[in-house]
Amino acid sequence: MELREQALKVLCEPDPAAKAAAARALHLAPPPLDTRRVLLPPAPLPGRPLRPRLVPPQQVATRSPFTRAGRAALLHAVTHIEFNAINLALDALWRFPGLPEAYYRDWLQVAGEEALHFTLLSEHLQSLDCRYGDHDAHDGLWAMTERTAGDVTARMALVPRTLEARGLDATPPMQAKLARAGDTRAVEILDTILRDEIGHVAIGNRWYAWLCARDGLDPVAHYAVLTARHGAPRLRAPFNTAARRAAGFSDAEIAALTSLPPLSNTP
C-alpha cells in the first residue's frame, strides 16, 4: 500500500499500543506516496479501544498532581490527548488529496512524534499503577477533526493552530505543578512534548497560510469566519506567547489573542 492508504489503515487500528507502534514505523520507513488518489474509509473512524469511556468534558473529573492517584488521572488526560493527536495526524495525511508532497511528509512526521509522546506517557502511567483507559476522557479534539473533514483549510486553522496550540499554553503551568509534586519524569516527558508540539503547530500554521495564499484569502479574517462556521471554542488567556511566536503565529494574531480576557478560573 502507498503512504496515504497505509496511514488510513493505521488510523483504523483500535489497539492504542499497536497504533502507536505502526505510526512510528510508518514514519521511519514510509512507502511511496500517491498524492492524487481519493480514498474512502473502510469503517467508522478512528479505530479506538473500548476504554477510556468518552464523556462530555464537564463530566471529566478535576485532576490534581499532588496525590499519586490525582497525578495518574492528570497524566491519563494528557495521554488521551496524545492518542487523539496520532489519529488527527493520520487523518490529515490520508484524507485530503491533491496537495504538495511536503504536506504529507509533514503530517507523517507529526504522526510519528505523537506516537512517541503517547508511548512515553503510557509507560510513565504504568509506574503510577495506571493504564490508558482506566479513566474517563472527552473527545473534543477528534470532534473538531470530524467537523473539518470536508475542508482542509478549516482543518489546519482549527485543529493544529487552535486546539493543539492550547497545549503550548497549558504545558508550562502543568510542568510547574508536576515539579512541585516531585514527578521529574513527567516534567521531562512534557519537555519533549512541548518542543515537538511547537513544530506541529508550526506545520499547521504553514499549511494554513499556504492554503489561504492559494485561495486568495486573508488568513486573519478567514480564521474568524472558520471559527464561527465550525463552532471553535473561544480562546482565553494566559497564552504562551514565546512558544506561539516560535510556532509561527504573526504579531497580529498574538495581539488579537492577548487582548482577550482571562478565564475566571485560571489558577
Side-chain angles (χ1 to χ4, degrees):
M1 290 185 285
E2 60 87 31
L3 175 58
R4 292 174 54 239
E5 188 178 9
Q6 186 68 21
L8 178 54
K9 179 182 177 182
V10 178
L11 180 59
C12 292
E13 169 59 55
D15 181 78
K19 186 194 295 280
R24 292 178 70 185
L26 193 62
H27 178 215
L28 293 173
L33 169 66
D34 181 348
T35 65
R36 296 292 177 179
R37 185 178 177 193
V38 176
L39 300 173
L40 296 176
L45 297 177
R48 65 169 95 233
L50 295 176
R51 299 174 63 196
R53 185 176 68 124
L54 299 179
V55 299
Q58 62 271 22
Q59 293 183 21
V60 177
T62 302
R63 302 166 293 266
S64 167
F66 298 107
T67 67
R68 184 182 179 87
R71 189 159 66 255
L74 174 63
L75 292 172
H76 184 279
V78 183
T79 307
H80 180 66
I81 290 170
E82 297 302 320
F83 176 73
N84 269 317
I86 302 170
N87 288 331
L88 73 88
L90 293 168
D91 194 84
L93 177 52
W94 82 265
R95 185 176 293 277
F96 303 107
L99 294 167
E101 181 175 336
Y103 167 90
Y104 304 102
R105 301 299 179 192
D106 277 349
W107 286 105
L108 177 61
Q109 174 187 332
V110 174
E113 291 176 349
E114 302 289 17
L116 173 61
H117 301 166
F118 175 82
T119 302
L120 292 173
L121 286 164
S122 295
E123 291 171 350
H124 187 54
L125 276 181
Q126 292 178 32
S127 74
L128 298 171
D129 300 319
C130 180
R131 301 291 186 275
Y132 177 59
D134 284 355
H135 295 273
D136 291 347
H138 70 80
D139 208 26
L141 190 57
W142 183 256
M144 184 59 74
T145 304
E146 290 184 325
R147 286 186 222 168
T148 57
D151 183 349
V152 65
T153 307
R155 173 68 63 84
M156 295 298 104
L158 301 180
V159 176
R161 67 190 307 274
T162 298
L163 298 184
E164 287 196 282
R166 290 302 284 158
L168 306 183
D169 307 323
T171 298
M174 188 187 309
Q175 286 180 292
K177 290 181 180 180
L178 289 165
R180 292 200 301 273
D183 195 333
T184 57
R185 179 55 182 157
V187 174
E188 291 171 355
I189 293 170
L190 290 175
D191 274 337
T192 299
I193 292 174
L194 180 59
R195 179 201 67 205
D196 291 345
E197 292 297 341
I198 289 172
H200 300 171
V201 176
I203 286 170
N205 272 322
R206 177 162 64 251
W207 289 107
Y208 176 67
W210 185 90
L211 289 158
C212 286
R214 182 195 68 177
D215 298 335
L217 300 168
D218 176 82
V220 175
H222 192 56
Y223 179 77
V225 171
L226 292 172
T227 57
R229 180 181 299 164
H230 296 282
R234 182 171 171 81
L235 302 180
R236 292 289 188 270
F239 299 104
N240 186 345
T241 56
R244 284 176 173 267
R245 288 185 191 281
F249 283 91
S250 68
D251 289 342
E253 289 168 326
I254 295 292
L257 283 173
T258 54
S259 68
L260 295 171
L263 286 169
S264 60
N265 62 348
T266 298

